[in-house]
């Protein structure tokens, strides 16, 4: 269980609260027709790999924010999962990420 940044909207998410972490997608979604549809919905072409997506962006499940914690939008593509499972900016490795939030809902 760890935190990650959604590859579509940039928000902070927990792997336990979405069905769209890339490991899950790789293991459980093998049927090619479904895969194609999910990729289309996520704006990926057929050759692109699935990233990690929050519960609101995930084409599986309810397609809405789970509400377990506030949805924190961070500058897209600038954060990574730290070895301890927290999230941090790629450049300065600071895990206190709320101060970087663009919006919190
Ligand atoms: Zn998202």
């Amino acid at each position: 269980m760890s935190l990650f940044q959604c590859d579509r909207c940039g928000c902070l998410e927990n792997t336990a609260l979405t069905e769209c972490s890339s490991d899950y997608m790789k293991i459980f979604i093998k049927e090619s027709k479904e895969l194609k549809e999910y990729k289309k919905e996520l704006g990926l072409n057929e050759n692109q790999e699935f990233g990690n997506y929050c519960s609101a962006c995930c084409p599986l499940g309810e397609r809405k924010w789970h509400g377990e914690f506030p949805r924190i939008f961070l500058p897209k593509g600038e954060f990574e999962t730290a070895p301890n499972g927290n999230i941090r900016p790629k450049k300065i490795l600071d895990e206190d990420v709320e101060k970087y939030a663009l919006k919190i809902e």
Side-chain angles (χ1 to χ4, degrees), residues 24-56:
Y24 181 94
M25 300 291 269
K26 278 176 199 149
I27 295 166
F28 294 103
I29 304 173
K30 295 199 162 88
E31 210 273 294
S32 63
K33 194 176 157 218
E34 274 185 323
L35 262 180
K36 225 171 156 179
E37 282 171 19
Y38 293 146
K39 283 190 173 183
K40 197 174 164 190
E41 192 166 327
L42 290 164
L44 302 172
N45 68 44
E46 286 184 37
N47 300 319
Q48 284 178 294
E49 284 215 22
F50 278 106
N52 293 290
Y53 305 101
C54 72
S55 66

Side-chain angles (χ1 to χ4, degrees), residues 12-91:
L12 176 69
E13 177 62 295
N14 187 310
T15 52
L17 298 171
T18 177
E19 292 182 65
C20 280
S21 64
S22 62
D23 290 345
Y24 181 94
M25 300 291 269
K26 278 176 199 149
I27 295 166
F28 294 103
I29 304 173
K30 295 199 162 88
E31 210 273 294
S32 63
K33 194 176 157 218
E34 274 185 323
L35 262 180
K36 225 171 156 179
E37 282 171 19
Y38 293 146
K39 283 190 173 183
K40 197 174 164 190
E41 192 166 327
L42 290 164
L44 302 172
N45 68 44
E46 286 184 37
N47 300 319
Q48 284 178 294
E49 284 215 22
F50 278 106
N52 293 290
Y53 305 101
C54 72
S55 66
C57 294
C58 179
L60 291 75
E62 294 184 51
R63 300 171 192 236
K64 64 178 186 184
W65 185 244
H66 47 65
E68 293 291 320
F69 56 81
R71 191 174 177 192
I72 302 172
F73 293 88
L74 299 164
K76 205 173 156 185
E78 294 181 19
F79 290 76
E80 65 180 11
T81 302
N84 65 3
N86 284 334
I87 193 167
R88 65 189 182 186
K90 290 176 183 172
K91 288 176 193 157

